[in-house]
Amino acid sequence: MPTLALKFRFRPTPEVDDLLGKCETMVREAVAWAWENRKTATHTIVKALYLAFRERFPELHSAWVQKSARTAAAVVHAFQRRRRRGREPKDRPEVRRAWVYVDKMTFRWSWDGTELEIRIAVRPGDVSPIVLRFRPHGKYRRLVEAWARGECTHGEPTLSRTTLIIPLKFKDMPVYEPGRVFGIDSNERSLDLYGSGVPVLQGLLDTSWVAARNAEHDRRIRRGCRGKQNPRARARVARKHGRRRRDRTRAFWHEVALRLVWLALQLGAALVIEDLRGMKGRIARHLPRRMRRRLLNQWSIRTFHAILRHKARVYGVPLLEVDPRGTSSLCPVCGGDLRGQRELRCPSCGLTMDRHLLAAWNIALRGMAKLPLGGTGQPGEGLDLFGRLQSRRWGQGVMGAPGRPLPVRQGPTLRTQGEAQATA
């Protein structure tokens, strides 16, 4: 079930601060009790501390006691997960800021087409609850309208002193039966594409913008940390540029993933990508330090694959992952072994093709072997190489319109193989 989160910010209010102050006290005590007694189940924490908390805070709705225990269990579970992964240097969990889950019994909302009103009850039968008003726009507006139409349900909201996060849960779209496959070869500076049965889609997506931005932010981090001896100051600079790099990179990959999902929808095709888990680590062991750092820090291909998997699930597009070994060294026509220069020529059948496009072809063939193709695909109308939508048959989706043309300023460029060779 795809889940999207609406994150709203508001100015601190005395009512919210008073509620969170009491909940923070209960959460801290519940975390300490859970860690000392090695009990992390929400039911166990509630059973042990419910009566004591109700006596101390009789004016609160009983749901806040239960949700404080639920928040404490989440804090302990997150601490244990970070500790297992070696990312937690501390010995015991701590509550770093005040936040709490909001129970559905105390949460009410209304939408009049322009303003979203949230009412949060603090006491039983509260006649003067906490009222928060927001005016969403853009994608948030479309999501709120889908929420109002009953196309999704909301999960447990999260409340802090200045933020309210509301998760929206959408139903899984049925996956259509593909009529063809769409192979994607992932490289450091490009995505090479091959569509089985669609020769016009043999080309590449130039993604060198991501590597350039990552390298730029690495230089800014080194320049900003130069001369600073305080570790906290160096960490602050690294966090600032790391956050900017992550946001810009993810925005770019979101646009690329939307374009590929739209192409798959128009062609009725399945997307086939390489399973690159652990690939960068295995390759980096045999590289010099500088090249290893560039490969690990500037090639954010796993981020793109995660975004593409999520969007394919949201839109009901079939997506397969295949073994990447040998995709760029095998002839897709006769199966001969191709090793040597970048321009490969098969000694058996004489096939000559760029190594990356050859890999995309082999990826598509492996996807066809894993997926029995029996569907018609129902290709859309007006498809061309540059992804311009002639027929808006798909309309607005959960994550936005996949058929919406991308901005020319920073959108990925799609070129044919001949154009790529001419500009190389």
Side-chain angles (χ1 to χ4, degrees):
M1 178 177 291
T3 302
L4 303 176
L6 302 177
K7 185 175 182 180
F8 297 105
R9 295 188 180 276
F10 56 91
R11 294 182 179 180
T13 62
E15 297 82 3
V16 175
D17 290 344
D18 180 66
L19 173 62
L20 286 179
K22 298 174 182 177
C23 291
E24 183 181 9
T25 301
M26 291 188 287
V27 170
R28 291 184 183 276
E29 295 183 9
V31 167
W33 182 91
W35 186 252
E36 292 174 359
N37 295 274
R38 295 294 186 265
K39 304 291 185 180
T40 59
T42 303
H43 174 74
T44 305
I45 300 174
V46 171
K47 186 177 180 180
L49 303 177
Y50 180 80
L51 294 179
F53 287 161
R54 287 293 291 162
E55 292 178 358
R56 291 178 57 185
F57 305 102
E59 71 281 3
L60 292 181
H61 195 289
S62 61
W64 293 111
V65 177
Q66 299 180 15
K67 289 304 174 181
S68 296
R70 163 86 171 85
T71 305
V75 171
V76 176
H77 289 160
F79 174 82
Q80 292 176 338
R81 183 166 57 251
R82 293 194 304 270
R83 200 175 188 183
R84 286 193 300 268
R85 297 176 180 176
R87 300 178 182 176
E88 185 56 67
K90 298 184 180 180
D91 298 331
R92 56 189 302 114
E94 296 180 358
V95 180
R96 300 175 182 175
R97 62 184 182 90
W99 68 278
V100 68
Y101 288 112
V102 182
D103 194 273
K104 292 184 178 181
M105 293 189 299
T106 62
F107 183 84
R108 297 291 182 270
W109 65 280
S110 61
W111 169 250
D112 60 1
T114 303
E115 188 175 71
L116 176 65
E117 183 180 89
I118 304 296
R119 293 179 175 270
I120 301 176
V122 179
R123 293 167 290 275
D126 201 347
V127 295
S128 57
I130 298 174
V131 180
L132 302 174
R133 294 183 175 87
F134 308 101
R135 299 175 67 89
H137 60 87
K139 185 184 75 173
Y140 273 26
R141 183 185 181 89
R142 297 197 301 270
L143 294 176
V144 173
E145 290 176 351
W147 185 17
R149 291 193 300 265
E151 299 177 4
C152 61
T153 59
H154 71 273
E156 285 184 322
T158 304
L159 179 66
S160 67
R161 296 190 185 278
T162 58
T163 306
L164 176 66
I165 301 176
I166 307 174
L168 299 182
K169 300 181 179 181
F170 290 82
K171 296 180 180 179
D172 288 326
M173 292 188 63
V175 179
Y176 58 82
E177 187 177 0
R180 52 182 62 88
V181 297
F182 192 19
I184 305 172
D185 179 40
S186 304
N187 302 296
E188 187 177 357
R189 296 184 181 274
S190 68
L191 296 175
D192 288 79
L193 319 174
Y194 180 86
S196 64
V198 191
V200 74
L201 285 180
Q202 297 178 13
L204 63 87
L205 277 164
D206 185 9
T207 60
S208 58
W209 184 89
V210 176
R213 297 291 79 73
N214 288 336
E216 174 189 349
H217 283 284
D218 284 343
R219 289 192 297 268
R220 291 184 179 183
I221 291 174
R222 291 194 298 269
R223 191 184 310 118
C225 294
R226 190 178 303 158
K228 289 183 172 62
Q229 304 299 327
N230 189 343
R232 292 185 178 180
R234 298 168 65 93
R236 186 163 55 249
V237 173
R239 281 197 305 269
K240 181 184 72 173
H241 289 290
R243 182 174 61 253
R244 292 179 179 178
R245 175 174 65 177
R246 181 178 63 253
D247 293 343
R248 298 177 72 184
T249 300
R250 290 183 66 86
F252 181 88
W253 286 130
H254 273 288
E255 293 184 351
V256 175
L258 278 175
R259 170 169 292 194
L260 293 176
V261 166
W262 172 77
L263 288 175
L265 286 171
Q266 293 293 306
L267 294 172
L271 298 177
V272 186
I273 60 177
E274 301 166 287
D275 186 2
L276 298 180
R277 286 174 292 187
M279 173 66 70
K280 292 198 296 184
R282 291 193 298 269
I283 297 176
R285 296 194 192 105
H286 311 289
L287 295 177
R289 179 180 178 182
R290 186 172 182 177
M291 295 183 65
R292 180 169 64 248
R293 182 175 59 189
R294 187 192 74 185
L295 178 66
L296 295 178
N297 296 344
Q298 299 177 12
W299 190 31
S300 56
I301 194 62
R302 290 296 305 279
T303 300
F304 165 67
H305 282 182
I307 293 173
L308 183 61
R309 280 194 296 267
H310 175 72
K311 291 189 182 299
R313 181 186 176 191
V314 168
Y315 287 104
V317 175
L319 186 140
L320 300 175
E321 292 183 277
V322 298
D323 188 1
R325 288 179 293 184
T327 53
S328 59
S329 60
L330 293 177
C331 178
V333 176
C334 63
D337 188 12
L338 305 177
R339 299 182 186 275
Q341 303 299 324
R342 181 180 180 87
E343 289 291 339
L344 302 179
R345 180 179 178 85
C346 180
S348 301
C349 62
L351 176 67
T352 302
M353 187 176 291
D354 180 80
R355 179 185 298 273
H356 296 323
L357 187 57
L358 184 75
W361 192 349
N362 281 318
I363 292 170
L365 292 177
R366 295 184 182 184
M368 294 173 62
K370 293 182 65 175
L371 184 67
L373 302 179
T376 60
Q378 297 181 355
E381 301 175 356
L383 180 69
D384 68 358
L385 184 64
F386 293 93
R388 298 187 180 94
L389 185 64
Q390 306 296 336
S391 172
R392 295 188 178 275
R393 185 162 57 92
W394 297 101
Q396 296 286 345
V398 175
M399 295 291 290
R404 179 182 301 162
L406 299 180
V408 179
R409 181 175 57 87
Q410 60 179 359
T413 57
L414 186 62
R415 299 177 293 172
T416 62
Q417 183 185 6
E419 293 172 343
Q421 294 175 352
T423 57

